[in-house]
PDB file of all heavy atoms in Angstrom:
ATOM      1  N   VAL A   1      -6.635   7.835  -1.382  1.00  0.00           N
ATOM      2  CA  VAL A   1      -5.677   7.362  -2.377  1.00  0.00           C
ATOM      3  C   VAL A   1      -4.698   6.377  -1.752  1.00  0.00           C
ATOM      4  O   VAL A   1      -4.406   5.309  -2.317  1.00  0.00           O
ATOM      5  CB  VAL A   1      -4.909   8.551  -2.997  1.00  0.00           C
ATOM      6  CG1 VAL A   1      -3.751   8.042  -3.854  1.00  0.00           C
ATOM      7  CG2 VAL A   1      -5.815   9.411  -3.830  1.00  0.00           C
ATOM      8  N   HIS A   2      -4.182   6.708  -0.588  1.00  0.00           N
ATOM      9  CA  HIS A   2      -3.221   5.834   0.073  1.00  0.00           C
ATOM     10  C   HIS A   2      -3.869   4.511   0.485  1.00  0.00           C
ATOM     11  O   HIS A   2      -3.250   3.444   0.364  1.00  0.00           O
ATOM     12  CB  HIS A   2      -2.616   6.543   1.284  1.00  0.00           C
ATOM     13  CG  HIS A   2      -1.643   7.623   0.913  1.00  0.00           C
ATOM     14  ND1 HIS A   2      -2.047   8.853   0.441  1.00  0.00           N
ATOM     15  CD2 HIS A   2      -0.280   7.651   0.944  1.00  0.00           C
ATOM     16  CE1 HIS A   2      -0.977   9.594   0.196  1.00  0.00           C
ATOM     17  NE2 HIS A   2       0.108   8.895   0.501  1.00  0.00           N
ATOM     18  N   LEU A   3      -5.097   4.567   0.948  1.00  0.00           N
ATOM     19  CA  LEU A   3      -5.801   3.334   1.302  1.00  0.00           C
ATOM     20  C   LEU A   3      -6.025   2.458   0.074  1.00  0.00           C
ATOM     21  O   LEU A   3      -5.827   1.238   0.122  1.00  0.00           O
ATOM     22  CB  LEU A   3      -7.141   3.664   1.965  1.00  0.00           C
ATOM     23  CG  LEU A   3      -7.078   4.280   3.362  1.00  0.00           C
ATOM     24  CD1 LEU A   3      -8.478   4.682   3.828  1.00  0.00           C
ATOM     25  CD2 LEU A   3      -6.445   3.314   4.363  1.00  0.00           C
ATOM     26  N   GLN A   4      -6.448   3.068  -1.016  1.00  0.00           N
ATOM     27  CA  GLN A   4      -6.675   2.317  -2.252  1.00  0.00           C
ATOM     28  C   GLN A   4      -5.405   1.617  -2.712  1.00  0.00           C
ATOM     29  O   GLN A   4      -5.413   0.416  -3.032  1.00  0.00           O
ATOM     30  CB  GLN A   4      -7.163   3.249  -3.359  1.00  0.00           C
ATOM     31  CG  GLN A   4      -8.557   3.792  -3.199  1.00  0.00           C
ATOM     32  CD  GLN A   4      -8.849   4.874  -4.222  1.00  0.00           C
ATOM     33  OE1 GLN A   4      -8.110   5.055  -5.189  1.00  0.00           O
ATOM     34  NE2 GLN A   4      -9.918   5.616  -4.014  1.00  0.00           N
ATOM     35  N   LYS A   5      -4.302   2.379  -2.751  1.00  0.00           N
ATOM     36  CA  LYS A   5      -3.068   1.812  -3.290  1.00  0.00           C
ATOM     37  C   LYS A   5      -2.555   0.662  -2.426  1.00  0.00           C
ATOM     38  O   LYS A   5      -2.072  -0.351  -2.951  1.00  0.00           O
ATOM     39  CB  LYS A   5      -1.991   2.901  -3.411  1.00  0.00           C
ATOM     40  CG  LYS A   5      -2.257   3.913  -4.500  1.00  0.00           C
ATOM     41  CD  LYS A   5      -2.281   3.302  -5.902  1.00  0.00           C
ATOM     42  CE  LYS A   5      -0.921   2.916  -6.410  1.00  0.00           C
ATOM     43  NZ  LYS A   5      -0.947   2.462  -7.835  1.00  0.00           N
ATOM     44  N   TYR A   6      -2.658   0.795  -1.108  1.00  0.00           N
ATOM     45  CA  TYR A   6      -2.169  -0.309  -0.283  1.00  0.00           C
ATOM     46  C   TYR A   6      -3.088  -1.520  -0.409  1.00  0.00           C
ATOM     47  O   TYR A   6      -2.612  -2.659  -0.518  1.00  0.00           O
ATOM     48  CB  TYR A   6      -2.029   0.076   1.189  1.00  0.00           C
ATOM     49  CG  TYR A   6      -1.291  -1.022   1.927  1.00  0.00           C
ATOM     50  CD1 TYR A   6       0.089  -1.122   1.812  1.00  0.00           C
ATOM     51  CD2 TYR A   6      -1.967  -1.998   2.647  1.00  0.00           C
ATOM     52  CE1 TYR A   6       0.785  -2.170   2.419  1.00  0.00           C
ATOM     53  CE2 TYR A   6      -1.285  -3.048   3.250  1.00  0.00           C
ATOM     54  CZ  TYR A   6       0.093  -3.125   3.132  1.00  0.00           C
ATOM     55  OH  TYR A   6       0.780  -4.175   3.706  1.00  0.00           O
ATOM     56  N   PHE A   7      -4.386  -1.284  -0.397  1.00  0.00           N
ATOM     57  CA  PHE A   7      -5.322  -2.404  -0.512  1.00  0.00           C
ATOM     58  C   PHE A   7      -5.083  -3.171  -1.812  1.00  0.00           C
ATOM     59  O   PHE A   7      -5.017  -4.408  -1.807  1.00  0.00           O
ATOM     60  CB  PHE A   7      -6.764  -1.890  -0.468  1.00  0.00           C
ATOM     61  CG  PHE A   7      -7.794  -2.973  -0.639  1.00  0.00           C
ATOM     62  CD1 PHE A   7      -8.144  -3.787   0.416  1.00  0.00           C
ATOM     63  CD2 PHE A   7      -8.401  -3.178  -1.870  1.00  0.00           C
ATOM     64  CE1 PHE A   7      -9.092  -4.797   0.263  1.00  0.00           C
ATOM     65  CE2 PHE A   7      -9.348  -4.181  -2.036  1.00  0.00           C
ATOM     66  CZ  PHE A   7      -9.693  -4.993  -0.964  1.00  0.00           C
ATOM     67  N   LEU A   8      -4.955  -2.464  -2.919  1.00  0.00           N
ATOM     68  CA  LEU A   8      -4.741  -3.119  -4.206  1.00  0.00           C
ATOM     69  C   LEU A   8      -3.418  -3.880  -4.211  1.00  0.00           C
ATOM     70  O   LEU A   8      -3.354  -5.038  -4.646  1.00  0.00           O
ATOM     71  CB  LEU A   8      -4.760  -2.085  -5.331  1.00  0.00           C
ATOM     72  CG  LEU A   8      -6.116  -1.432  -5.612  1.00  0.00           C
ATOM     73  CD1 LEU A   8      -5.945  -0.232  -6.534  1.00  0.00           C
ATOM     74  CD2 LEU A   8      -7.083  -2.440  -6.235  1.00  0.00           C
ATOM     75  N   ALA A   9      -2.361  -3.247  -3.718  1.00  0.00           N
ATOM     76  CA  ALA A   9      -1.062  -3.916  -3.688  1.00  0.00           C
ATOM     77  C   ALA A   9      -1.110  -5.187  -2.849  1.00  0.00           C
ATOM     78  O   ALA A   9      -0.576  -6.230  -3.237  1.00  0.00           O
ATOM     79  CB  ALA A   9       0.002  -2.965  -3.144  1.00  0.00           C
ATOM     80  N   ALA A  10      -1.764  -5.107  -1.694  1.00  0.00           N
ATOM     81  CA  ALA A  10      -1.741  -6.203  -0.725  1.00  0.00           C
ATOM     82  C   ALA A  10      -2.678  -7.343  -1.081  1.00  0.00           C
ATOM     83  O   ALA A  10      -2.524  -8.450  -0.543  1.00  0.00           O
ATOM     84  CB  ALA A  10      -2.091  -5.671   0.664  1.00  0.00           C
ATOM     85  N   THR A  11      -3.635  -7.100  -1.955  1.00  0.00           N
ATOM     86  CA  THR A  11      -4.582  -8.167  -2.303  1.00  0.00           C
ATOM     87  C   THR A  11      -4.413  -8.659  -3.734  1.00  0.00           C
ATOM     88  O   THR A  11      -4.809  -9.786  -4.044  1.00  0.00           O
ATOM     89  CB  THR A  11      -6.036  -7.704  -2.088  1.00  0.00           C
ATOM     90  OG1 THR A  11      -6.282  -6.510  -2.846  1.00  0.00           O
ATOM     91  CG2 THR A  11      -6.313  -7.449  -0.625  1.00  0.00           C
ATOM     92  N   LEU A  12      -3.808  -7.866  -4.606  1.00  0.00           N
ATOM     93  CA  LEU A  12      -3.501  -8.350  -5.950  1.00  0.00           C
ATOM     94  C   LEU A  12      -2.251  -9.226  -5.932  1.00  0.00           C
ATOM     95  O   LEU A  12      -2.183 -10.243  -6.624  1.00  0.00           O
ATOM     96  CB  LEU A  12      -3.290  -7.178  -6.908  1.00  0.00           C
ATOM     97  CG  LEU A  12      -4.540  -6.409  -7.333  1.00  0.00           C
ATOM     98  CD1 LEU A  12      -4.172  -5.127  -8.069  1.00  0.00           C
ATOM     99  CD2 LEU A  12      -5.446  -7.267  -8.214  1.00  0.00           C
ATOM    100  N   SER A  13      -1.258  -8.840  -5.148  1.00  0.00           N
ATOM    101  CA  SER A  13       0.002  -9.579  -5.072  1.00  0.00           C
ATOM    102  C   SER A  13       0.151 -10.217  -3.699  1.00  0.00           C
ATOM    103  O   SER A  13      -0.281  -9.657  -2.694  1.00  0.00           O
ATOM    104  CB  SER A  13       1.176  -8.633  -5.332  1.00  0.00           C
ATOM    105  OG  SER A  13       2.413  -9.278  -5.102  1.00  0.00           O
ATOM    106  N   SER A  14       0.805 -11.374  -3.664  1.00  0.00           N
ATOM    107  CA  SER A  14       1.026 -12.027  -2.368  1.00  0.00           C
ATOM    108  C   SER A  14       2.210 -11.418  -1.627  1.00  0.00           C
ATOM    109  O   SER A  14       2.364 -11.650  -0.427  1.00  0.00           O
ATOM    110  CB  SER A  14       1.245 -13.529  -2.559  1.00  0.00           C
ATOM    111  OG  SER A  14       2.289 -13.781  -3.468  1.00  0.00           O
ATOM    112  N   SER A  15       3.044 -10.648  -2.322  1.00  0.00           N
ATOM    113  CA  SER A  15       4.119  -9.908  -1.654  1.00  0.00           C
ATOM    114  C   SER A  15       3.915  -8.421  -1.886  1.00  0.00           C
ATOM    115  O   SER A  15       3.586  -7.991  -3.003  1.00  0.00           O
ATOM    116  CB  SER A  15       5.494 -10.337  -2.179  1.00  0.00           C
ATOM    117  OG  SER A  15       5.827 -11.622  -1.703  1.00  0.00           O
ATOM    118  N   VAL A  16       4.087  -7.644  -0.815  1.00  0.00           N
ATOM    119  CA  VAL A  16       3.796  -6.216  -0.859  1.00  0.00           C
ATOM    120  C   VAL A  16       4.795  -5.502   0.036  1.00  0.00           C
ATOM    121  O   VAL A  16       5.322  -6.088   0.991  1.00  0.00           O
ATOM    122  CB  VAL A  16       2.343  -5.941  -0.393  1.00  0.00           C
ATOM    123  CG1 VAL A  16       2.132  -6.399   1.046  1.00  0.00           C
ATOM    124  CG2 VAL A  16       1.970  -4.471  -0.535  1.00  0.00           C
ATOM    125  N   GLY A  17       5.068  -4.235  -0.284  1.00  0.00           N
ATOM    126  CA  GLY A  17       5.955  -3.466   0.570  1.00  0.00           C
ATOM    127  C   GLY A  17       5.665  -1.982   0.480  1.00  0.00           C
ATOM    128  O   GLY A  17       5.102  -1.504  -0.514  1.00  0.00           O
ATOM    129  N   ILE A  18       6.020  -1.250   1.543  1.00  0.00           N
ATOM    130  CA  ILE A  18       5.911   0.200   1.531  1.00  0.00           C
ATOM    131  C   ILE A  18       7.157   0.800   2.155  1.00  0.00           C
ATOM    132  O   ILE A  18       7.815   0.187   3.005  1.00  0.00           O
ATOM    133  CB  ILE A  18       4.663   0.732   2.281  1.00  0.00           C
ATOM    134  CG1 ILE A  18       4.648   0.260   3.743  1.00  0.00           C
ATOM    135  CG2 ILE A  18       3.387   0.378   1.556  1.00  0.00           C
ATOM    136  CD1 ILE A  18       3.566   0.934   4.589  1.00  0.00           C
ATOM    137  N   TYR A  19       7.465   2.008   1.724  1.00  0.00           N
ATOM    138  CA  TYR A  19       8.486   2.825   2.362  1.00  0.00           C
ATOM    139  C   TYR A  19       7.763   3.733   3.341  1.00  0.00           C
ATOM    140  O   TYR A  19       6.951   4.558   2.981  1.00  0.00           O
ATOM    141  CB  TYR A  19       9.244   3.616   1.291  1.00  0.00           C
ATOM    142  CG  TYR A  19       9.929   4.873   1.772  1.00  0.00           C
ATOM    143  CD1 TYR A  19      10.744   4.875   2.914  1.00  0.00           C
ATOM    144  CD2 TYR A  19       9.770   6.063   1.070  1.00  0.00           C
ATOM    145  CE1 TYR A  19      11.372   6.035   3.333  1.00  0.00           C
ATOM    146  CE2 TYR A  19      10.401   7.231   1.479  1.00  0.00           C
ATOM    147  CZ  TYR A  19      11.191   7.219   2.604  1.00  0.00           C
ATOM    148  OH  TYR A  19      11.805   8.374   3.017  1.00  0.00           O
ATOM    149  N   GLY A  20       8.059   3.530   4.632  1.00  0.00           N
ATOM    150  CA  GLY A  20       7.394   4.297   5.658  1.00  0.00           C
ATOM    151  C   GLY A  20       8.401   4.984   6.579  1.00  0.00           C
ATOM    152  O   GLY A  20       9.607   4.742   6.477  1.00  0.00           O
ATOM    153  N   PRO A  21       7.919   5.815   7.489  1.00  0.00           N
ATOM    154  CA  PRO A  21       6.506   6.147   7.675  1.00  0.00           C
ATOM    155  C   PRO A  21       5.968   7.146   6.658  1.00  0.00           C
ATOM    156  O   PRO A  21       4.863   7.649   6.803  1.00  0.00           O
ATOM    157  CB  PRO A  21       6.482   6.740   9.092  1.00  0.00           C
ATOM    158  CG  PRO A  21       7.816   7.415   9.210  1.00  0.00           C
ATOM    159  CD  PRO A  21       8.778   6.523   8.468  1.00  0.00           C
ATOM    160  N   VAL A  22       6.770   7.400   5.612  1.00  0.00           N
ATOM    161  CA  VAL A  22       6.352   8.342   4.577  1.00  0.00           C
ATOM    162  C   VAL A  22       4.983   7.968   4.012  1.00  0.00           C
ATOM    163  O   VAL A  22       4.112   8.829   3.839  1.00  0.00           O
ATOM    164  CB  VAL A  22       7.414   8.385   3.451  1.00  0.00           C
ATOM    165  CG1 VAL A  22       6.882   9.089   2.221  1.00  0.00           C
ATOM    166  CG2 VAL A  22       8.673   9.073   3.954  1.00  0.00           C
ATOM    167  N   PHE A  23       4.788   6.661   3.721  1.00  0.00           N
ATOM    168  CA  PHE A  23       3.532   6.252   3.102  1.00  0.00           C
ATOM    169  C   PHE A  23       2.349   6.468   4.036  1.00  0.00           C
ATOM    170  O   PHE A  23       1.373   7.146   3.685  1.00  0.00           O
ATOM    171  CB  PHE A  23       3.595   4.789   2.665  1.00  0.00           C
ATOM    172  CG  PHE A  23       2.339   4.328   1.966  1.00  0.00           C
ATOM    173  CD1 PHE A  23       2.177   4.534   0.613  1.00  0.00           C
ATOM    174  CD2 PHE A  23       1.310   3.707   2.669  1.00  0.00           C
ATOM    175  CE1 PHE A  23       1.007   4.137  -0.032  1.00  0.00           C
ATOM    176  CE2 PHE A  23       0.148   3.304   2.035  1.00  0.00           C
ATOM    177  CZ  PHE A  23      -0.006   3.515   0.682  1.00  0.00           C
ATOM    178  N   GLU A  24       2.409   5.898   5.231  1.00  0.00           N
ATOM    179  CA  GLU A  24       1.230   5.949   6.104  1.00  0.00           C
ATOM    180  C   GLU A  24       0.990   7.344   6.674  1.00  0.00           C
ATOM    181  O   GLU A  24      -0.125   7.646   7.107  1.00  0.00           O
ATOM    182  CB  GLU A  24       1.333   4.900   7.222  1.00  0.00           C
ATOM    183  CG  GLU A  24       2.470   5.090   8.203  1.00  0.00           C
ATOM    184  CD  GLU A  24       3.703   4.298   7.831  1.00  0.00           C
ATOM    185  OE1 GLU A  24       3.941   4.099   6.621  1.00  0.00           O
ATOM    186  OE2 GLU A  24       4.431   3.878   8.759  1.00  0.00           O
TER     187      GLU A  24
END
């Protein structure tokens, strides 16, 4: 799930962000 969400965010939009290290 986490891999899917980051991949989609990072390739659908040219700007992306995460709150970490909670996310990873």
Side-chain angles (χ1 to χ4, degrees):
V1 170
H2 287 76
L3 290 174
Q4 290 171 13
K5 289 297 287 186
Y6 190 78
F7 178 80
L8 291 168
T11 56
L12 287 170
S13 173
S14 55
S15 287
V16 61
I18 58 171
Y19 157 49
V22 167
F23 182 85
E24 64 266 32

